[in-house]
Amino acid sequence: LAFFLSIALFLAGVHTGLFNGGVIYDNSGNLLSSINMFALLFCGFLYLKGIYFPSSTDCGTTGNILFDYYWGTELYPRIFGWDVKQFTNCRFGMVFWPVSTISYAFAQYERYGYVSDSMMVNMSLQLIYCYKFFLWETGYLASMDIQHDRAGYYICWGCLAFLPTIYTSHTFYLTEHPVDLGTPLALAIFIAGAVCIYINYAVTANAMTLERPKEDKVWGSDAKYIEAEYQTEKGPRESLLLYNGYWGIARHFHYLPEILASFFWSVPALFSHFMPYFYVLYLILLLTDRAVRDDARCKSKYGASWDKYCKYVPYKIIPGII
């Protein structure tokens, strides 16, 4: 609802003449500087809130002000019942992304009188990806971002200021640098990108099989998994570590199609400038680091069961390489 309603309201504003379609592009400098200033101050507020008015017991400081500001002092902050992390990550960052992409396409039309096929491919793939995110939002709420990373500069400033700037930088570039790909190449890039987005979603859906491991099939075969016990404050619990299907290819295989999808919505700009590929490079570094951190966290959580799982699935992201 947040995804579709936000886009619909933006298009309604354009249609009624409330603002022009390229309004975000036209005001990008002022808009992003204002967001950045707000995000820096907001993270300061979250730092103090976690110390003096925490929402839960999962809070605290290290005594290092810079680190605590960067990492955060609270895992699940709420303000009058308002979920801070869900808002910054899902309701602002991930909504700004598709809306600004559409605005950049409008801005190209306002400047050149048409929307290039490169912009159409770039925009369409990102809209599909963002729709996929909201389709899977409950899964995201169980990810490392929510369950492990505290609400500080790293997450909240990242989603409020960094995401709107960097995640749309390729579309921003295309606005005033249209590329005419031709129908065959544009269609080929779109199909390749759409397939990568589908695989990224299918990997996650594959893991959901473990809700009914004895009944459901993985690629037509019985699910293969390790019953991994771990300790909580309320006593021992158990997770099932799937090691066939997509999850038998690599422990974080879903990162590979995500990186490739970002490449396919960037490559319509072709290769005359590095800017459209900065996000791809950033994503490679981000997800590689995340794979390493997630492995370390799982090792600490599951112990010998994780070692056993790694013997079945020896690679982190790319089979035979890493």
Side-chain angles (χ1 to χ4, degrees):
L1 182 61
F3 173 77
F4 286 117
L5 185 59
S6 299
I7 292 176
L9 288 173
F10 177 79
L11 294 177
V14 175
H15 179 71
T16 58
L18 186 62
F19 46 78
N20 66 300
V23 61
I24 295 177
Y25 183 85
D26 296 339
N27 296 279
S28 56
N30 292 335
L31 181 60
L32 293 176
S33 61
S34 299
I35 291 172
N36 184 49
M37 291 171 64
F38 169 78
L40 292 172
L41 293 173
F42 184 63
C43 291
F45 165 77
L46 292 177
Y47 167 80
L48 295 174
K49 180 188 177 305
I51 296 174
Y52 298 108
F53 307 102
S55 301
S56 70
T57 57
D58 205 332
C59 59
T61 69
T62 63
N64 185 320
I65 294 177
L66 289 177
F67 181 80
D68 289 337
Y69 177 82
Y70 170 82
W71 184 245
T73 55
E74 196 173 3
L75 186 62
Y76 296 117
R78 288 180 173 272
I79 301 173
F80 302 116
W82 170 59
D83 188 325
V84 171
K85 288 172 84 172
Q86 186 176 30
F87 174 79
T88 57
N89 299 24
C90 306
R91 295 295 176 268
F92 185 87
M94 290 302 299
V95 166
F96 189 99
W97 185 351
V99 172
S100 62
T101 300
I102 294 171
S103 179
Y104 296 164
F106 269 110
Q108 187 183 82
Y109 180 81
E110 290 164 4
R111 282 156 175 75
Y112 297 99
Y114 77 106
V115 178
S116 64
D117 53 8
S118 55
M119 176 65 84
M120 290 298 296
V121 172
N122 172 276
M123 178 180 64
S124 299
L125 288 175
Q126 289 177 89
L127 290 177
I128 294 171
Y129 178 84
C130 291
Y131 168 69
K132 184 270 299 181
F133 172 86
F134 284 99
L135 197 63
W136 171 75
E137 186 179 8
T138 52
Y140 175 71
L141 296 178
S143 71
M144 180 181 289
D145 286 0
I146 303 298
Q147 291 190 331
H148 179 66
D149 297 335
R150 286 185 170 182
Y153 175 90
Y154 171 68
I155 285 292
C156 294
W157 178 87
C159 290
L160 290 171
F162 188 83
L163 189 159
T165 307
I166 301 303
Y167 285 43
T168 62
S169 56
H170 31 72
T171 318
F172 188 91
Y173 174 84
L174 276 171
T175 301
E176 297 207 30
H177 300 85
V179 176
D180 297 315
L181 299 171
T183 301
L185 180 57
L187 187 60
I189 294 172
F190 174 79
I191 292 173
V195 168
C196 289
I197 295 170
Y198 169 77
I199 294 174
N200 177 251
Y201 179 76
V203 175
T204 307
N206 196 188
M208 299 304 289
T209 298
L210 293 190
E211 291 185 351
R212 299 185 305 169
K214 306 254 183 227
E215 294 82 12
D216 289 341
K217 300 292 183 180
V218 176
W219 290 2
S221 302
D222 292 338
K224 297 179 181 179
Y225 54 88
I226 295 169
E227 297 176 348
E229 188 176 279
Y230 62 97
Q231 294 295 324
T232 71
E233 293 179 352
K234 297 181 180 180
R237 298 290 175 87
E238 185 180 81
S239 288
L240 304 180
L241 307 179
L242 182 67
Y243 63 88
N244 67 332
Y246 287 111
W247 296 96
I249 299 174
R251 300 194 292 275
H252 308 281
F253 175 72
H254 54 304
Y255 291 163
L256 181 58
E258 184 163 353
I259 292 169
L260 289 174
S262 72
F263 170 78
F264 284 119
W265 68 57
S266 299
V267 80
L270 298 182
F271 303 101
S272 59
H273 201 282
F274 172 71
M275 182 178 174
Y277 299 95
F278 181 81
Y279 171 67
V280 182
L281 176 61
Y282 157 76
L283 193 63
I284 291 171
L285 296 175
L286 174 74
L287 295 183
T288 301
D289 172 72
R290 183 166 295 181
V292 172
R293 289 199 299 132
D294 198 31
D295 268 22
R297 188 163 168 253
C298 288
K299 166 63 178 173
S300 174
K301 181 178 181 179
Y302 298 121
S305 295
W306 184 254
D307 293 333
K308 182 179 178 181
Y309 173 69
C310 290
K311 290 180 180 178
Y312 285 115
V313 190
Y315 296 102
K316 287 185 177 71
I317 303 174
I318 305 175
I321 299 177
I322 181 175

